Amino acid sequence: MLVERRLHGERSLLHELRELAEAAGYTVAAAVSQVREPDPRYNIGAGKVKELAQLVKSVGATKVVFFNELKPVQAYNLMKELGVEVVDRFDLILEIFSQRAGSREAKLQVELARLRRELSFVREWLRLAKMGELHGFMGGGEYAIDTYYKHVRRRIARVEAELARLRARKAERWRRRSVENGLYYIALTGYTGAGKTTLFKALTGQDGHVDGRPFATLSTKVARASIDGRPVIVSDTVGFIDCLPPQLLDAFYTTLGEVLLADLVLLIYDASEGVAEIERKLSASLSVLASLGVNRSRVLAVANKVDLVGTAEELEGALEVARRRGLDPVPISARYGTGLDRLKREILARLPNYSTLELTIPADDGLLRKLMAGAYVREIEERGGLLRVVVEGREEWLKAVQAKLSGA
Ligand SMILES: Nc1nc2c(ncn2[C@@H]2O[C@H](COP(=O)(O)OP(=O)(O)OP(=O)(O)O)[C@@H](O)[C@H]2O)c(=O)[nH]1
Ligand SMILES: [Mg+2]
């Protein structure tokens, strides 16, 4: 059963909570919404709790999921009154993440988010214990809680250290690819379900998991692609979501090294949704990107699923939402390949430090192959045993190749 409490004038997000619950494998028996200020005891009003208890019985619900973040005491009070397990949206998202975490990194990230959450719970217990408000809620008393708190802190430090090692290795791989091999890095980002993985497939030919449920992708996937002959690295990333719990943001998104290091960040959104929904998801995505430190100048917006958009006016409306935020979206259909040519042109036009260089190289060594792997060789001409080539690519890299040549 789903429950949401919102303030007057706030939009309901029960539809999204439902998608999440279904993605976690639940069948939704009922959904309840209440408009009021939070109640410190239950989050919702005490009268509503009685109603919920009735409803839980009549529909036979075995679990209640709140949209709102519950304080430990609220969850505890609610469980006592409702007689079934009570979780909030954070727990639900974490449940999906842990079901789907495949890679070592994703598993560690789930653990970190869980530990961080636990830490904030323990802090709350400690606070209540100090105020003498626990009334047997935690039998062990303040000392036991304090010991546990230290234990959680130690585990957090250990997981963080391992994640830092993984991240350093990733950054090193990136450095090799960009600095040593000249490749550009493009990150696909956007709200969950926007079509990142579908576009990733269309650009790289590599398969990814697509199932139409939220958070289909949990681990970043990286592949080489050729954009009109220009070799690039494309990465598919974890989707964003509205009201992302801060502990999850910390655990999952600040480790999106791909996004931080990317030369270009594509922000994909589903243009087939209503304008209000597009607005909500775009602004959630932009605020995650901003909190990751991604500059707007590196962002290229992509309006996906135009095959589902009914009329030209609707499409215009969907593009206008992004324009109002200073973005100039490229309309595409990742599924049917519509608009990909224009998207590729726009990508190329935005690659930073892209330049053209003419080089004369020996015909017989591996340099030509190296150039072709890291840049776009536009022209090749043979001249008396030497090759005159015109290459386009990352300026620093081309200059480095040139310097090596003249030094040799
Ligand atoms: N009609 C249509 N459907 C699309 C298009 N692109 C993606 N979809 C569908 O939208 C759903 C989500 O697509 P994904 O590619 O998994 O989206 P994602 O952004 O990777 O989602 P997460 O991994 O959950 O963040 C799937 O059911 C896709 O088949 C498109 O251009 N047109
Ligand atoms: Mg995906």
Side-chain angles (χ1 to χ4, degrees):
M1 190 159 81
L2 310 178
V3 181
E4 165 193 73
R5 180 198 54 72
R6 61 199 149 97
L7 298 176
H8 192 73
E10 265 178 7
R11 274 161 44 81
S12 171
L13 287 176
L14 270 179
H15 63 286
E16 194 162 278
L17 191 63
R18 177 183 291 270
E19 283 174 26
L20 289 172
E22 286 169 356
Y26 296 107
T27 309
V28 177
V32 176
S33 195
Q34 184 180 36
V35 179
R36 62 158 288 162
E37 298 287 323
D39 175 300
R41 269 176 311 165
Y42 303 108
N43 201 303
I44 50 169
K48 202 74 177 174
V49 177
K50 295 269 176 292
E51 242 177 76
L52 279 185
Q54 287 293 323
L55 195 59
V56 163
K57 277 215 187 71
S58 69
V59 299
T62 54
K63 193 169 196 165
V64 175
V65 183
F66 267 68
F67 180 84
N68 313 80
E69 189 171 336
L70 295 176
K71 295 221 164 68
V73 174
Q74 291 172 338
Y76 175 74
N77 290 339
L78 282 162
M79 272 188 253
K80 239 171 41 182
E81 296 296 323
L82 301 177
V84 293
E85 193 186 347
V86 178
V87 300
D88 63 15
R89 188 167 163 278
F90 178 88
D91 299 312
L92 184 64
I93 294 178
L94 208 51
E95 202 176 320
I96 299 172
F97 276 30
S98 57
Q99 282 169 7
R100 300 182 164 198
S103 67
R104 175 90 190 121
E105 185 179 18
K107 287 198 174 103
L108 284 170
Q109 285 170 322
V110 166
E111 189 179 349
L112 184 60
R114 201 168 260 149
L115 288 168
R116 290 237 172 95
R117 164 82 153 181
E118 207 144 311
L119 196 66
S120 67
F121 271 32
V122 180
R123 274 204 198 102
E124 171 83 1
W125 285 333
L126 272 176
R127 193 180 66 80
L128 292 174
K130 287 205 176 97
M131 286 166 33
E133 277 187 20
L134 281 178
H135 308 303
F137 178 48
M138 279 285 292
E142 199 179 322
Y143 175 74
I145 303 176
D146 202 47
T147 308
Y148 185 60
Y149 181 78
K150 287 186 183 129
H151 167 73
V152 174
R153 287 277 298 262
R154 267 198 304 275
R155 277 180 54 198
I156 288 181
R158 216 172 302 144
V159 174
E160 277 176 344
E162 186 163 358
L163 274 171
R165 267 197 301 278
L166 285 177
R167 241 172 288 155
R169 217 178 302 154
K170 249 182 172 175
E172 170 56 23
R173 239 185 349 247
W174 174 83
R175 199 192 60 78
R176 265 205 311 272
R177 280 168 165 155
S178 64
V179 179
E180 288 172 23
N181 302 336
L183 295 167
Y184 279 101
Y185 215 134
I186 299 165
L188 307 183
T189 68
Y191 211 82
T192 177
K196 298 176 292 298
T197 304
T198 308
L199 180 59
F200 179 76
K201 266 188 193 176
L203 290 176
T204 67
Q206 293 249 344
D207 252 343
H209 183 61
V210 173
D211 67 10
R213 296 186 302 171
F215 300 120
T217 305
L218 268 199
S219 302
T220 308
K221 200 165 170 181
V222 175
R224 280 177 82 105
S226 159
I227 297 191
D228 292 343
R230 280 78 172 174
V232 295
I233 296 282
V234 181
S235 68
D236 183 17
T237 63
V238 187
F240 303 145
I241 195 157
D242 220 347
C243 316
L244 190 76
Q247 294 99 332
L248 266 178
L249 182 85
D250 273 4
F252 265 81
Y253 296 85
T254 47
T255 58
L256 279 179
E258 297 71 22
V259 176
L260 289 174
L261 302 170
D263 294 292
L264 188 63
V265 175
L266 301 197
L267 172 52
I268 296 134
Y269 69 95
D270 181 347
S272 73
E273 297 190 291
V275 165
E277 200 67 353
I278 295 178
E279 223 146 46
R280 177 175 76 81
K281 293 184 176 181
L282 259 185
S283 84
S285 307
L286 282 169
S287 73
V288 179
L289 287 180
S291 72
L292 292 176
V294 174
N295 194 305
R296 195 70 71 89
S297 65
R298 268 199 295 150
V299 175
L300 171 59
V302 179
N304 189 29
K305 309 195 191 180
V306 296
D307 56 288
L308 296 176
V309 179
T311 65
E313 290 82 65
E314 271 165 21
L315 179 60
E316 199 45 39
L319 298 177
E320 197 46 42
V321 179
R323 288 190 193 124
R324 274 201 296 276
R325 294 176 181 278
L327 299 164
D328 186 14
V330 183
I332 67 157
S333 164
R335 179 180 283 177
Y336 298 105
T338 326
L340 289 190
D341 288 341
R342 170 156 169 225
L343 177 61
K344 288 176 179 176
R345 278 201 305 278
E346 299 274 351
I347 290 174
L348 293 180
R350 279 163 210 257
L351 294 179
N353 306 317
Y354 192 81
S355 79
T356 307
L357 203 69
E358 197 180 308
L359 295 170
T360 303
I361 60 171
D364 53 352
D365 71 9
L367 192 56
L368 181 62
R369 198 140 44 94
K370 182 177 173 183
L371 282 173
M372 285 172 115
Y376 174 56
V377 179
R378 204 172 64 194
E379 288 168 38
I380 307 177
E381 197 188 334
E382 203 180 338
R383 256 190 214 163
L386 289 175
L387 296 179
R388 188 193 68 92
V389 294
V390 179
V391 271
E392 292 176 17
R394 199 186 274 280
E395 186 169 20
E396 315 91 272
W397 188 72
L398 292 177
K399 288 264 162 71
V401 172
Q402 189 178 38
K404 236 186 186 162
L405 265 177
S406 53

